[in-house]
Amino acid sequence: MKQILTILLLFVCLYTNAGEIIVRDGESIHDALRQAREWRRTNDARCQGGITITLQEGRYYMQEPLFLRPEDSGTKESPLVIRGIGEKHTSVICGDPRQKHRQIWPLKEQDDGLPKNRHDDGLPTKGMERMISFNKEKRTITIPTPPDSVLRDFVSKNTAESTSRPPLEMVVHQRWAIAILRVKDIRVLNDSVTEVSFMEPESRLEFEHPWPQPVIGGERGNSSFLLRTTEQRDGIEQLVIVDGANYVRFEGLTFKHTCWNRPLHKGHVTLQGGFPLVDAYKLKENPGLPWDEGLENQAWIERPVSAVTVRNAHHVDFHSVLFENLAATALDFVDNVSDCVVQKCTFGNIGGTAIMGGSFAESPREVHRPYTDLAKRCQRLTIKENFVVDAANEDWGAVGIALGYVRHCTISKNHVFFLSYSGICVGWGWTPLNTGMEHNCIEGNNVSNYARQLYDAGGIYTLSNQPGSVISGNKISAPYPAPYATNYRGFCIYLDARTDGFTIENNKTPVVDGSPINKKPSTAEALRPIRRDEIGDNHPGPNVKIKD
């Protein structure tokens, strides 16, 4: 009897571990996934109870993304798990280190308050300068004349002369977004004024689309800029693409090092939230459309590239995963996704948005129309107990967590801090109409040290009508006193453009003598931790309930 029990126990142990595929440093994750796929295809007994691909300690360099197809799907009873070894996240799926920038002007130092050992040079660590003028007709920006030490490598003072120079970019501060413009020509007009022109397509997009554009003569002075060079190389941008594969779980891994190639070839002119424009212009004749009589801007956008992409899938989960040193979006639930969980993950040194989900009405749709079919394509996402630190440090207009057209989604108990713009953003469309967005919950989050570069920002930021939604129990610091913001429009909770349907209660926001600590005596709108009204029709709707 003892021998029989021993044999049975041995059989159980072998059966339990039968569905594990071990990948060692230097071996191919693609081959392991193919092996798992063959087990599924042939209904191999090792599929019962699930298949686990275990990555041993090491760096797994991806020359092409790991592509999970419908044939890689698990089931509720037999999921596919891709995991690392141990608690130190030493199983690393990686691409190429990000492009490096060298700021050539201004040269004065600026302390951004972030750890000095982090790998990032996308922020203006040497300060910014105020521009002089913005000429829409000539498509030029006039700036103070840089010192000769800066000019000699990039321009000849003889404006008829052309000299070879390393590629040069201008990064332009535009209230709630930035533009990265490849410099075409610099013309020194005199000792005080220099005129800069730019390459296409970004020049057309920058000067034709009305919002956002640089501010000249605003509340806090003209928009700012910096000049920099960027290492000119294309690198790996994507590590994993889940397209149609369900019941997949990633755990205990590190995703590290991706590039962002778009600015090298097209510049980067954005609408909001880091979304680049692919076409845009202002309605010059008879502005206004049936759903918005004051609408003047038309825009088509594309989605920023992401290191890890999920689409056409459900039950794709990430647990205790480290995302770091990624150039654009870290993790993106793009379209036709549901019932996915991101839990106890850490996002650090992210160039764009850390976690993104739902449609933002990307091209071929025009972004300002009130769509009713998109919210149901991203539902029941759960984003909880994550750390998001130091995001949006390449594209300062990106955010910590961004959900667009979504419904029945929960963002809870996350720590979100050190951000160039807003912290947690939910909603899209700028519309009071019913779009299907509903029952979204933002609760128990801790948001601090946001709006470090750009304003028109919120620790929690919402758009459009979302019936049955809740903002509750969050702790939100005052906006950071961004040195180059052109207005004081920073709020703990920012109810922007036709926000409606939210109940807002039990949130902790800082006050000093009855006013937020970012109080500016000359601006009434800066006296409130919650932005809730404005002149015109850009205000929350009648069904917002504020119980704080």
Side-chain angles (χ1 to χ4, degrees), residues 121 134 188-189 215 242 404 517:
D121 56 359
F134 181 81
V188 178
L189 304 181
V215 171
V242 180
I517 60 175

Side-chain angles (χ1 to χ4, degrees), residues 68 75 85 158 164 236 284 347 353 393 395 449 451 496 507:
L68 279 72
T75 65
I85 288 290
N158 180 351
S164 61
I236 298 296
K284 296 181 180 179
F347 298 78
T353 295
N393 57 40
D395 184 338
N449 226 314
D496 199 11
N507 299 288

Side-chain angles (χ1 to χ4, degrees), residues 388-410:
V388 176
V389 54
D390 188 16
N393 57 40
E394 287 275 357
D395 184 338
W396 312 339
V399 303
I401 300 172
L403 300 184
Y405 284 99
V406 298
R407 66 181 186 179
H408 298 279
C409 291
T410 299

Side-chain angles (χ1 to χ4, degrees), residues 101-116:
H101 309 296
R102 182 173 69 89
Q103 184 172 336
I104 66 164
W105 195 57
L107 298 179
K108 58 181 180 289
E109 294 294 329
Q110 173 189 328
D111 183 3
D112 65 4
L114 293 177
K116 295 305 177 187

Side-chain angles (χ1 to χ4, degrees), residues 1-13:
M1 178 62 69
K2 181 184 270 188
Q3 289 178 334
I4 293 173
L5 289 174
T6 301
I7 292 171
L8 286 174
L9 181 61
L10 179 61
F11 176 80
V12 169
C13 291

Side-chain angles (χ1 to χ4, degrees), residues 488-500:
Y488 296 110
R489 294 167 57 84
F491 304 91
C492 299
I493 299 175
Y494 195 150
L495 307 178
D496 199 11
R498 287 73 177 263
T499 290
D500 206 356

